[in-house]
Amino acid sequence: MDFVQVETTAPLMEISQISSPATAISPTSRIPKDAIRTSLKASTADSVLAAVYSLGTGGILLSNFLVELGASPVVFGMLSSIPMLVNLIQPLGAYLSERSTSRFQYSLRTHGIGRLLWLVLVIGIVGVSLGVINTHHLVILTLLIVLFSNLLGGLGTASWLSWVAMIVPRRLRGRYFGTRNSAANLTNLICVPMAGLAVSHWYGGTLQGYGIVLLISIVLGIAGLGCQYFQVDMNPQSQNTNQGKPTQTSEIQPEVAKDESSKVAQSIHPPQNKLTSSVWKNSNFLRFLVYFSFWNLAVNLSSPFFNLYMLDTLDLDVSYVTIYNSFQAAATLLMLILWGKLADKIGNRPILICIGILVAATPVLWLGIGANHLDIWLWLPLLHILAGGTWAAIDLCSNNIQLAIAPTQNQSIYFATAAAVAGASGALGATIGSFIVQFAQFGGLLGLFALSSLFRLVALVPLVFVKEAQR
């Protein structure tokens, strides 16, 4: 399948009383190597458990759940656009996180509550089984949970990325994130088909089966947040007042933003207008924003509807589709380490351009797919393998290039701005796509796939002008 998985991320009782793993340190302090190793292992474990959480709260299982409830294509468009649209709140989340004194505590208050919200959907599934609510109400409840869970996740995403950027040595980022993502994809490879079979063959029906899988995913998702306890904590206020070069952080200070960044760093609580000014005066970062926004719009014209095409148009059983997703996860797993090492050697931009052309052509390959045995047993698996290998490069290098071009001071503001712009454009693409699907005169799903392919090629043009640090 050819789609971007958007990840959504402490119990409710007295989260504020949970102590930090240790006193949040200043980024200027040299982090011991043993502490870095422990932090990286904890972050990898977190990614594995978060992958299980994500497979229950998104992807093919959630799509199949909505198909069983009789949801329309517009609902699928909303399902895909909500996680992207709520990224508009990331600048606010970044601003709030910079006023906190612990990345760990802030993560518990945002991602933790957001993950626990999915327990409401488990209760809703029980309500449908007992006849208390109907399926239409459950569809609305699902969309509301997706909305509020992702709002809370959006408040914490930029802070988490800035936290990891300070811990992972710059020279190892490609290899580490390749390994980390490989662990997550290995989890998907094993767990997605198991979960699909469990949902399909649950004795109480697919809705109850999904409820059981969802409950397990939530529990493991909360356990994943517990792994962050073992990561070296960071104090954002110390990071922002640091005038020197931190030990474990980005070494790139874009020339356009140097003066502005130094002014911003003079205060623990810099004015919001100065933060915004430093972002919008960084011409290299702005060029990246243009690429990132158009790319996400083009990708999400079609990405929410590949699952719908297989489950609805081709009428495939969810167990088949989960097997296809396992092929994709396997391809991602095999290629991530290779892409990570290659990115460390030649940079992220060349990979994004070359592989981006291949990703742009992928939707066209869906135009000849039907419900015959050759397509089901050969071409669909091959398409998912291709998507797994190519999207491994796109996801990894998109993350790394942001770490490379963002300055150190108020780093999360840059990450949040990129996420907000890309999220808004991606949500717009998914919304436009959902309405195009509704009208047969525009070619339906197949016409949408062709249009998305064309837009993806055009979106790569601004990336040519983005400057990345010399390797």
Side-chain angles (χ1 to χ4, degrees), residues 29 43 128 142 149 171 186 196 207 211 213 255 274 349 413 464:
S29 304
S43 182
V128 169
T142 302
S149 176
R171 68 184 183 278
L186 177 60
L207 293 185
V213 171
E255 56 278 6
K274 288 187 178 181
R349 191 187 65 156
I413 300 294
V464 177

Side-chain angles (χ1 to χ4, degrees), residues 111-135:
H111 295 296
I113 298 175
R115 291 183 179 185
L116 283 175
L117 281 178
W118 285 91
L119 288 173
V120 179
L121 183 58
V122 175
I123 298 173
I125 294 173
V126 174
V128 169
S129 301
L130 298 176
V132 177
I133 61 175
N134 58 41
T135 56

